[in-house]
Amino acid sequence: MTSARTHRIPLDPPVPGAHAGELARRVYFVSETITAFALVHGGEEVRAVDVTVRGPADLDELTRKLRFVVANDVLGRRVFAPKVVWRGSAGGDAREVFDELLARGVAWEAGDGQVAVGEPVLSLMDHLDAAIRALAVEEFGAREMRYPTLIPTRAMRRGGYLESFPQLLMFASRLHGDVDAYRGFLGALADGEDPAEGLRAYGGPADHCLPPTMCFHTYHQLADRPLPDPALAVTARGKSFRFESRYRRSLERLWDFTIREVVFLGPLTYVVDARRRLMRRVFGLMEDLGLGGRCEVAEDPFFAAERTAERLLSQRLMELKYELRLPLDVGRDVAVGSFNFHERFFGESYGIGLPGERGAAFTACAGFGLERLAYAFLCRHGLDPACWPEAVRAAVTP
């Protein structure tokens, strides 16, 4: 059995207390050897981090890695009071129900970051998804697409995801297409080797990714030509994948989850107005569902990239990203959706032009995690359909 030891890593300089949450969201990504951690406070600062690691650890290396993350991703950030652009009127408290879902057999933990769900969660997810899809189709005439799961790695790199969020990436691998590779892999298995070691020895290129969201499929689809229409809306539902390390928790931070995405492409006025109108419609849906919550200015989890603090500041000041957050328990909530404006970044990156004009298309997207949304609904209304809003009860239960 591998022993675990705890080491204290001093922070020089210390981290202001206002940045403690951001530091905590990054510690597990410093090294896979870290199995637990605690921030060590002194006054209004975080002066050290106690990290528990598997087996022997090179403390100097851990210190170097942690201090890099602190310097690059934490200390340069500016702390803002959350700017709330919508707050729901629903009253009452939410209560965590994940243990109850497990006890009833409605949820099953299939592995790290993977949870299987059954009824009534499946029908609830479908109902919530149908409501969002209807907004996209009826309000904006969105075209619906069903994309394959895998996406070429080159397409993800073209959109800058590899450089911005390396900690979340998940790749699809395979054996090298050669009979000697197959034979070598089989021989390694026969010798009792770990299949992962055999894959590393005989694996082919990591030329495909598991998509972190659906919108990259849309940009890849429309790349290197003008838009087919002056203004375009596309919607898709599919599986998305993000490696959440040890931050995985209930239905909140799955490595494998379902998302409904709506993408707007076209001139500036259309894209900005479409995002605003969709936000307004979604807020109304949340009120109808009795979910309360709020929507606030937010930022992406850039990690270990150049100019991290500068990019985060720009996002907040320009209000490029809003997050829809719903309560799960007293004092705790989760982001179930986001509304993002990309200016011309993806239009330029993918060569998506405006028809009949010079220049790249503007883009915006909104994504909704269906497991999270359904879970927030259950935390608010409970597992008994008799306590649900009438419209949901009628749609979901026989």
Side-chain angles (χ1 to χ4, degrees), residues 279-293:
M279 289 172 65
R280 186 174 66 244
R281 293 294 303 272
V282 170
F283 299 158
L285 175 62
M286 296 301 106
E287 294 283 8
D288 292 343
L289 293 169
L291 293 180

Side-chain angles (χ1 to χ4, degrees), residues 278-319:
L278 180 62
M279 289 172 65
R280 186 174 66 244
R281 293 294 303 272
V282 170
F283 299 158
L285 175 62
M286 296 301 106
E287 294 283 8
D288 292 343
L289 293 169
L291 293 180
R294 69 188 188 280
C295 185
E296 64 186 29
V297 178
E299 58 196 31
D300 284 313
F302 298 114
F303 186 81
E306 294 183 2
R307 301 170 42 246
T308 292
E310 180 183 335
R311 296 168 75 181
L312 294 174
L313 177 61
S314 175
Q315 268 196 318
R316 280 198 170 270
L317 292 180
M318 298 178 69
E319 299 189 14

Side-chain angles (χ1 to χ4, degrees), residues 96-338:
E96 290 266 19
V97 295
F98 188 64
D99 287 344
E100 193 174 348
L101 290 173
L102 292 174
R104 294 189 181 192
V106 176
W108 171 60
E109 293 182 290
D112 289 346
Q114 296 178 299
V115 177
V117 294
E119 293 292 1
V121 179
L122 289 176
S123 294
L124 181 58
M125 287 172 59
D126 287 342
H127 174 72
L128 297 170
D129 175 57
I132 297 170
R133 176 192 176 277
L135 294 183
V137 173
E138 295 168 8
E139 178 89 7
F140 305 99
R143 302 179 182 183
E144 184 154 29
M145 296 294 299
R146 180 165 296 177
Y147 293 112
T149 297
L150 298 181
I151 187 169
T153 302
R154 68 179 186 280
M156 293 299 302
R157 183 168 190 179
R158 189 170 183 178
Y161 197 92
L162 274 65
E163 291 80 5
S164 298
F165 312 108
Q167 80 280 19
L168 302 179
L169 281 167
M170 300 181 76
F171 293 92
S173 190
R174 56 186 172 81
L175 294 174
H176 182 65
D178 183 278
V179 66
D180 288 341
Y182 304 144
R183 292 180 64 199
F185 180 75
L186 294 174
L189 294 183
D191 291 339
E193 289 188 20
D194 187 326
E197 293 297 327
L199 182 59
R200 277 189 281 269
Y202 302 104
D207 49 11
H208 283 78
C209 292
L210 297 169
T213 188
M214 291 292 100
C215 61
F216 287 98
H217 283 294
T218 301
Y219 306 138
H220 182 45
Q221 174 190 3
L222 299 171
D224 300 318
R225 61 183 185 275
L227 289 173
D229 295 309
L232 182 64
V234 178
T235 187
R237 168 178 169 163
K239 278 291 190 178
S240 296
F241 305 82
R242 297 175 195 171
F243 177 69
E244 293 285 0
S245 187
R246 294 182 181 274
Y247 295 108
R248 61 186 185 273
R249 179 172 180 165
S250 69
L251 293 176
E252 303 165 53
R253 288 187 172 272
L254 298 174
W255 297 2
D256 171 353
F257 60 98
T258 315
I259 196 167
R260 165 63 65 176
E261 190 100 9
V262 185
V263 184
F264 302 110
L265 308 98
L268 175 63
T269 52
Y270 165 75
V271 168
V272 170
D273 180 64
R275 182 177 73 149
R276 178 185 58 80
R277 287 162 52 202
L278 180 62
M279 289 172 65
R280 186 174 66 244
R281 293 294 303 272
V282 170
F283 299 158
L285 175 62
M286 296 301 106
E287 294 283 8
D288 292 343
L289 293 169
L291 293 180
R294 69 188 188 280
C295 185
E296 64 186 29
V297 178
E299 58 196 31
D300 284 313
F302 298 114
F303 186 81
E306 294 183 2
R307 301 170 42 246
T308 292
E310 180 183 335
R311 296 168 75 181
L312 294 174
L313 177 61
S314 175
Q315 268 196 318
R316 280 198 170 270
L317 292 180
M318 298 178 69
E319 299 189 14
L320 301 180
K321 183 181 186 73
Y322 298 103
E323 278 187 349
L324 176 63
R325 305 192 67 88
L326 300 181
L328 300 179
D329 209 333
V330 177
R332 210 168 74 77
D333 58 26
V334 67
V336 302
S338 65

Side-chain angles (χ1 to χ4, degrees), residues 333-362:
D333 58 26
V334 67
V336 302
S338 65
F339 308 89
N340 310 282
F341 174 50
H342 317 117
E343 302 182 282
R344 277 182 154 142
F345 177 80
F346 288 124
E348 292 173 346
S349 298
Y350 288 90
I352 305 171
L354 294 169
E357 299 182 25
R358 297 183 62 183
F362 290 84

